[in-house]
Amino acid sequence: MNDKRGSAIFLKAIIFLVGAAVVTLCVHWMPVLTIRDVKAHPGGDYSIYPLLACAYGICLTFTFSLFHVYKLVTFIERNNAFSESSFKSLHVIKKCAFIVIFFLVLMIISLKVISSISGDDSAGPISLSLMTILATSIIIAVVDVLQKPLTVFLDKK
């Protein structure tokens, strides 16, 4: 097995494991935490639902982008890195990153509203959201850097 094939298999395995972790989070842990919160606030505190909607939006968008990363690795493995399909996958990954940032901004707004109503301190979750926005912005920059030579190549073709 050559190095290129081994690297591609390793990347595909990592993508699959990350995707499995995200799906497990969506299917198992978020409903458990929601049920626990509903039991803790029997009076009908609905403040968690906007956060839950944002979390599911982020998870679904992230899973969809992982699928396109998997497709991109497959294109690279088959020596189709400079193709229209890989350009489209990069474009979808970039759009998904912007959607994740949108959901994170909505989550920050929800946290600020909830903290102003309840009087809780939301500095920790908001700072984690801002760090995630920074990491997602870095991903957008990397995808943009990868897209530019691909655009030049496809225009010459």
Side-chain angles (χ1 to χ4, degrees):
M1 179 182 305
N2 59 13
D3 290 337
K4 184 178 177 184
R5 177 95 171 122
S7 298
I9 290 173
F10 177 73
L11 279 173
K12 285 181 178 182
I14 294 299
I15 292 166
F16 179 76
L17 290 174
V18 169
V22 170
V23 168
T24 302
L25 177 74
C26 285
V27 172
H28 180 68
W29 288 107
M30 283 201 283
V32 167
L33 293 174
T34 304
I35 290 169
R36 187 179 303 163
D37 187 65
V38 168
K39 287 179 181 176
H41 302 97
D45 183 19
Y46 300 109
S47 63
I48 194 167
Y49 294 124
L51 300 175
L52 192 63
C54 290
Y56 272 113
I58 290 169
C59 287
L60 291 174
T61 307
F62 184 73
T63 304
F64 187 69
S65 67
L66 278 179
F67 170 71
H68 281 279
V69 170
Y70 187 87
K71 281 177 52 175
L72 186 63
V73 171
T74 303
F75 294 142
I76 292 170
E77 183 181 26
R78 294 180 183 161
N79 292 326
N80 289 332
F82 292 102
S83 66
E84 186 71 29
S85 301
S86 61
F87 180 78
K88 287 179 182 177
S89 288
L90 283 171
H91 189 69
V92 169
I93 293 166
K94 194 159 108 175
K95 280 186 177 181
C96 287
F98 280 119
I99 293 170
V100 166
I101 289 175
F102 172 74
F103 279 122
L104 286 167
V105 169
L106 283 178
M107 190 176 286
I108 289 171
I109 292 169
S110 297
L111 284 169
K112 287 300 284 181
V113 169
I114 292 168
S115 68
S116 67
I117 292 171
S118 66
D120 292 335
D121 184 24
S122 62
I126 289 176
S127 66
L128 286 174
S129 298
L130 290 173
M131 286 186 270
T132 307
I133 288 174
L134 176 66
T136 308
S137 300
I138 292 170
I139 291 171
I140 291 171
V142 168
V143 168
D144 197 43
V145 166
L146 291 174
Q147 260 185 328
K148 285 186 182 180
L150 194 56
T151 304
V152 170
F153 179 80
L154 291 174
D155 287 342
K156 286 182 183 178
K157 199 172 164 182

